[in-house]
Amino acid sequence: MDFSHIPVLLPECLEGLNLRREGLYLDGTAGGGGHSYEIAKRLTTGRLIALDKDPDAVRAAGERLSGLPAQVIESDYADIPQVLDKLGIDKVDGILLDLGVSSYQLDTPERGFSYRLDAPLDMRMSQKGPSAYDLVNSWDVSSMARILREFGEERYALPIAKKICRVREQKPVETTGELVELVKAAIPPGARYEGGHPAKRTFQAIRIAVNSELENLSRCLDEAFQRLAPGGRFVIITFHSLEDR
């Protein structure tokens, strides 16, 4: 499957960034290059730095931005200051973040993000470090319940955590399909489909934990603002209340 990216809220992002043709901009979540392409093609003497922690996204964005005044780097947006230091750049005129998981990551079974596709538990955006399999099979009950409650806003966090820990005593939880069934079994039948798929909040919580999404966002917000030039703009697209807060 190709890593494509249809940029959401594109007019709003471009307006928010207040693009100048000679400006220097940074897209911290390049994805398939949708927003990056639209920014870069509007630059003349300016330049775009596009970051993504997913090697597949870096490859796809690099291909899409070929021939444009843009550079694609494999990095987390939490490391914006370090990336700019390495490039010898002090300030940029605008920063864009498009938070959350991409449609490519959700729709590629082997990436293990989706509760609708049976695949090995993974969920690593960077494809490095501990995976969802590692965390689901190592957290104790209280830690797992806390993660599900805080990152997934899951009201049945404790029953789900207890169910997972009880089952994994017999064998590890290895696939997304197995995890979905455990979540379903832990939620009362009458409440399973309140607010959508029963595993939706659990998968969100585990994905956020695996990728340290909220910690990295907090780090980025603490440090990246200092790298904006006077009058620079910071545009962030968020998709749920945890990111908003």
Side-chain angles (χ1 to χ4, degrees):
M1 178 182 291
D2 292 330
F3 202 131
S4 59
H5 180 208
I6 299 172
V8 298
L9 297 171
L10 178 61
E12 292 84 354
C13 289
L14 297 177
E15 180 182 357
L17 287 170
N18 192 29
L19 286 178
R20 295 183 293 107
R21 292 179 297 175
E22 71 280 8
L24 182 56
Y25 297 93
L26 188 147
D27 183 351
T29 46
H35 290 105
S36 291
Y37 175 82
E38 296 295 336
I39 294 169
K41 78 177 187 181
R42 288 168 167 80
L43 305 178
T44 52
T45 56
R47 180 181 173 196
L48 171 72
I49 310 299
L51 311 182
D52 207 287
K53 63 169 32 174
D54 189 330
D56 291 345
V58 170
R59 171 190 53 77
E63 292 173 359
R64 189 163 189 181
L65 297 172
S66 178
L68 293 172
Q71 179 178 1
V72 185
I73 297 172
E74 185 176 330
S75 177
D76 194 295
Y77 56 71
D79 297 321
I80 284 174
Q82 291 79 11
V83 170
L84 293 180
D85 287 345
K86 285 183 181 179
L87 296 173
I89 297 170
D90 182 29
K91 306 283 187 181
V92 295
D93 296 298
I95 298 172
L96 171 66
L97 301 181
D98 180 3
L99 304 179
V101 66
S102 72
S103 57
Y104 165 84
Q105 290 164 334
L106 286 172
D107 295 340
T108 304
E110 58 268 26
R111 299 299 299 271
F113 282 95
S114 177
Y115 47 78
R116 301 186 187 280
L117 302 169
D118 191 25
L121 272 175
D122 194 326
M123 302 194 196
R124 295 171 298 174
M125 292 178 180
S126 67
Q127 303 183 37
K128 303 181 184 77
S131 67
Y133 171 91
D134 297 316
L135 299 187
V136 165
N137 288 291
S138 63
W139 281 326
D140 59 31
V141 170
S142 61
S143 297
M144 189 175 305
R146 179 181 58 81
I147 291 295
L148 298 183
R149 188 165 49 249
E150 292 181 4
F151 293 168
E153 300 175 297
E154 172 56 69
R155 62 188 288 202
Y156 296 103
L158 185 56
I160 292 170
K162 287 180 175 178
K163 181 70 173 178
I164 291 170
C165 292
R166 190 159 55 246
V167 167
R168 78 180 191 209
E169 289 176 0
Q170 307 303 317
K171 68 174 290 295
V173 182
E174 297 180 343
T175 70
T176 55
E178 290 174 12
L179 181 57
V180 167
E181 292 307 312
L182 291 178
V183 172
K184 284 182 180 177
I187 298 175
R192 273 180 201 158
Y193 290 92
E194 291 177 356
H197 194 284
K200 175 178 163 184
R201 291 175 295 276
T202 294
F203 271 63
Q204 172 185 294
I206 294 170
R207 188 204 83 221
I208 288 173
V210 166
N211 295 288
S212 302
E213 292 179 42
L214 296 182
E215 297 96 319
N216 288 339
L217 177 59
S218 180
R219 226 173 92 209
C220 178
L221 294 176
D222 285 341
E223 299 179 7
F225 271 104
Q226 300 174 35
R227 306 308 290 261
L228 282 176
R233 303 285 188 87
F234 204 143
V235 176
I236 305 179
I237 304 171
T238 72
F239 292 95
H240 59 71
S241 59
L242 293 175
E243 294 169 344
D244 295 340
R245 290 198 294 273

